[in-house]
Amino acid sequence: MIELTQTSYTVLGLVSLTTDGATPYDLKQMVAISVGNFWSVPHSQLYAEPDRLAAAGYLSVTREKGGRRRKHYKLTSKGRKALDEWVHSPTEGSIELRDPGILKLFFGADPATLAAGQIEHHRRRLNEYEATRKFADELPSPGPRLALEAGIGHEREYVRFWSKLAKKG
Amino acid sequence: MIELTQTSYTVLGLVSLTTDGATPYDLKQMVAISVGNFWSVPHSQLYAEPDRLAAAGYLSVTREKGGRRRKHYKLTSKGRKALDEWVHSPTEGSIELRDPGILKLFFGADPATLAAGQIEHHRRRLNEYEATRKFADELPSPGPRLALEAGIGHEREYVRFWSKLAKKG
DNA sequence: CCTATCATGTAATCCGTTACATGATTAT
DNA sequence: ATAATCATGTAACGGATTACATGATAGG
């Protein structure tokens, strides 16, 4: 019995999007173009976590015999069940800002100076999001597009917030 | 040489607000009424982290001789310097949403159902923030108030976002 | 007095981050 | 060929979370 973390569900969720399984490298690619924008996962985790999940019966593994001997992971019924339950369960996690910029602001950083950097950061993020918008609009499932909208709203809010501070200085 | 984490700076920052040092329990209390809303720290960390910082010379320790033998931590000049540099340095940290609700949304959760819970969560947060507003307005330093405003803006944005989704269902 | 909660700490576990490392492809 | 980059992993370390544990204080 292992504890499933958000990373676990991210992996399960990504694997569930494939038809014939995924290798850690596949997962890495998928993260990069999907959840990576708002929920990054270092690639080493994408090797470690599937093994954890496989050991606990949530994924099955097949290893290539020759060549790269890559590991291919697929959802087991147990894995699919866990994923479904997670998706449909009420969300527990306490969402905190945990924004280092806000922490600095709290402890006395000069608002105007800090704001300049933060605005740029959020603007860049915003651009990245909007660049993938067309792509997301084409997808059959609405989830990614809705998540993207959340991200855009989020970045816009922070651009607003820091812009207010920048002006005051 | 240790690596200073955000938790390290939180501790240094809190200690810096005191005149005659702080015990871990003091820190716990301070977190609860200050940064805890948007950057919580479990109390066990408030015992471990000051020791780490003291061992590395950022804090000094004095232990009570009798009774509870509490440890009192104060900033050393090294600690104050590190804190100042951090506060005034440009902010590196990549701020990601890392919102479990958005992750679920991405992976197919029913928007309307999910939204209901999320709205409540963010509303509660919002109320907590606004309750401390008067308190923050009285403080001499502007940081806490500005951080609070960020939090309020953040929660409002998410209430907006999830409310939109709730309606569509 | 007794018990509930506050106050204060320690221990164990583990995920996540950061390097390190090396076999395949591709480009020049 | 050789360098560069992609692909694919492993190792080590440490911070963070989660329990566990116990001495004070106050309330009844």
Side-chain angles (χ1 to χ4, degrees):
Chain A
M1 284 310 90
I2 64 171
E3 197 83 7
L4 296 184
T5 69
Q6 306 292 122
T7 300
S8 310
Y9 292 114
T10 303
V11 168
L12 291 177
L14 290 175
V15 172
S16 84
L17 298 177
T18 69
T19 54
D20 52 343
T23 69
Y25 196 71
D26 292 336
L27 294 175
K28 185 185 162 189
Q29 307 289 75
M30 296 176 79
V31 165
I33 63 169
S34 60
V35 290
N37 274 326
F38 67 91
W39 196 294
S40 73
V41 184
H43 85 277
S44 68
Q45 280 286 103
L46 298 175
Y47 287 89
E49 187 63 23
D51 273 343
R52 249 183 28 105
L53 292 171
Y58 295 95
L59 294 176
S60 66
V61 205
T62 329
R63 186 152 201 168
E64 293 176 359
K65 289 303 172 191
R68 302 211 159 170
R69 298 173 49 73
R70 274 178 289 221
K71 289 182 181 174
H72 292 255
Y73 299 90
K74 291 186 188 181
L75 274 187
T76 62
S77 57
K78 181 178 179 182
R80 179 167 300 282
K81 184 155 163 273
L83 178 60
D84 282 352
E85 278 174 6
W86 174 75
V87 164
H88 297 113
S89 68
T91 302
E92 23 8 81
S94 59
I95 311 125
E96 290 177 1
L97 305 192
R98 294 217 158 238
D99 181 328
I102 306 292
L103 197 59
K104 277 189 190 181
L105 187 63
F106 184 95
F107 285 120
D110 174 61
T113 310
L114 184 57
Q118 295 299 106
I119 289 172
E120 198 200 320
H121 177 93
H122 289 288
R123 281 244 174 82
R124 182 164 38 230
R125 240 337 123 101
L126 191 52
N127 287 337
E128 285 165 16
Y129 280 140
E130 281 175 337
T132 56
R133 203 172 211 170
K134 279 168 212 143
F135 179 68
D137 279 344
E138 315 256 324
L139 295 178
S141 56
R145 183 178 49 80
L146 296 176
L148 184 59
E149 279 177 22
I152 289 175
H154 175 93
E155 301 303 336
R156 285 200 179 134
E157 165 61 24
Y158 275 90
V159 169
R160 267 198 301 276
F161 171 74
W162 290 111
S163 294
K164 265 191 302 181
L165 288 197
K167 272 184 225 159
K168 287 187 193 167
Chain B
M1 285 312 89
I2 64 172
E3 196 85 5
L4 296 183
T5 69
Q6 305 291 122
T7 300
S8 311
Y9 292 113
T10 303
V11 168
L12 291 178
L14 290 175
V15 172
S16 84
L17 297 178
T18 70
T19 54
D20 51 343
T23 69
Y25 195 73
D26 292 335
L27 294 175
K28 185 183 164 190
Q29 307 290 76
M30 294 176 80
V31 166
I33 63 168
S34 61
V35 291
N37 273 327
F38 66 92
W39 195 297
S40 71
V41 184
H43 85 276
S44 69
Q45 282 284 103
L46 298 176
Y47 287 89
E49 187 62 23
D51 273 342
R52 248 182 30 102
L53 292 171
Y58 296 95
L59 294 177
S60 67
V61 206
T62 327
R63 187 152 201 166
E64 294 176 357
K65 290 302 172 193
R68 303 210 158 172
R69 296 172 49 74
R70 275 178 288 220
K71 289 181 181 174
H72 292 254
Y73 297 90
K74 290 187 189 183
L75 273 188
T76 62
S77 58
K78 182 178 178 182
R80 180 167 298 282
K81 184 157 164 273
L83 178 60
D84 282 351
E85 278 174 7
W86 173 74
V87 164
H88 296 113
S89 67
T91 302
E92 20 16 72
S94 61
I95 313 124
E96 290 177 0
L97 304 192
R98 295 215 159 238
D99 182 328
I102 305 291
L103 197 60
K104 278 190 187 178
L105 186 63
F106 184 95
F107 283 120
D110 175 61
T113 311
L114 184 56
Q118 295 299 106
I119 289 172
E120 197 200 320
H121 177 92
H122 289 289
R123 281 245 172 82
R124 180 163 38 226
R125 242 332 123 102
L126 190 53
N127 286 338
E128 285 164 17
Y129 279 140
E130 282 175 337
T132 55
R133 201 173 212 169
K134 278 169 214 140
F135 178 68
D137 279 343
E138 315 255 326
L139 295 179
S141 55
R145 184 178 48 80
L146 296 176
L148 185 60
E149 278 176 22
I152 290 175
H154 175 94
E155 301 303 337
R156 285 200 179 133
E157 165 61 25
Y158 275 90
V159 169
R160 267 198 302 278
F161 172 75
W162 290 111
S163 295
K164 266 192 302 182
L165 288 197
K167 273 184 220 157
K168 288 186 190 169

